[in-house]
Amino acid sequence: MKITGFNHLTIRVNDLRQSLPFYLDVLGMKLVHRGRSDVYLEWGEAWICLIETKQRRRQEGTGIDHVAFTIAEENFSEAVSRLKQHGVPFVREPVFRGGGWSVQFTDPDGTVLELFTGTLEKRMKNWR
C-alpha cells in the first residue's frame, strides 16, 4: 500500500453552535463549508469535518468518527484487494463519493479508518 499522507479528520460533536467557535476562534481554523449537520474547516494543510450527532444513541458519544488517509487513485484498487486478502472488516465498501474513491474499514480495536483519493477542493465542488 502506498499511502501519500493524512487526508482529513471527522469529529463527532453534540452541538455545532457550541463547538464551532472553539475551532474557529480558539484554534484559528478557516470555515470552508457549513451544512445542516456538518462543517468543513481548513487548518494549514489539514482539513477537519465536525459532524453533529444529536440523533445518535448516547453510548456512541462524541469524539473522532474516522481517520482518513490520502491514497493515489492508481493505488486504490490494490489497497482494497490487500484489505480483503487480510480479512479486514469493511464499514463502507469502495464507493466514489465526495470527489474521490473511498473505502472505510476498522482496525482491530474498531477504530474506523478510510482510504480516500479525493481532495478538499473536489469535496467542496460536490457539496455545492
Side-chain angles (χ1 to χ4, degrees):
M1 243 182 261
K2 297 180 181 176
I3 303 301
T4 59
F6 175 78
N7 193 279
H8 68 275
L9 179 66
T10 300
I11 302 171
R12 294 183 195 150
V13 298
N14 285 317
D15 187 341
L16 277 175
R17 290 176 300 153
Q18 289 182 339
S19 299
L20 189 56
F22 172 79
Y23 288 90
L24 294 177
D25 302 334
V26 177
L27 299 181
M29 294 183 185
K30 177 185 167 192
L31 181 65
V32 175
H33 166 80
R34 184 173 190 145
R36 284 177 284 175
S37 62
D38 65 343
V39 295
Y40 284 82
L41 308 165
E42 269 186 314
W43 201 22
E45 292 184 21
W47 51 291
I48 291 91
C49 174
L50 303 180
I51 187 165
E52 193 171 81
T53 58
K54 287 181 182 177
Q55 295 82 12
R56 294 187 186 254
R57 291 173 290 166
R58 188 75 171 154
Q59 65 266 26
E60 289 185 23
T62 57
I64 294 173
D65 183 75
H66 68 278
V67 179
F69 297 91
T70 300
I71 188 167
E73 194 166 330
E74 61 266 18
N75 297 320
F76 185 78
S77 293
E78 179 186 334
V80 170
S81 294
R82 182 181 173 105
L83 294 170
K84 288 180 179 179
Q85 288 170 355
H86 288 274
V88 174
F90 282 60
V91 174
R92 182 189 315 133
E93 292 288 329
V95 62
F96 191 86
R97 68 185 292 270
W101 283 99
S102 168
V103 63
Q104 289 188 350
F105 51 95
T106 60
D107 74 1
D109 294 305
T111 300
V112 179
L113 304 174
E114 178 182 11
L115 298 178
F116 188 59
T117 66
T119 63
L120 180 57
E121 181 181 346
K122 289 178 183 176
R123 170 74 54 96
M124 292 302 99
K125 285 180 182 175
N126 286 277
W127 280 105
R128 293 182 184 149

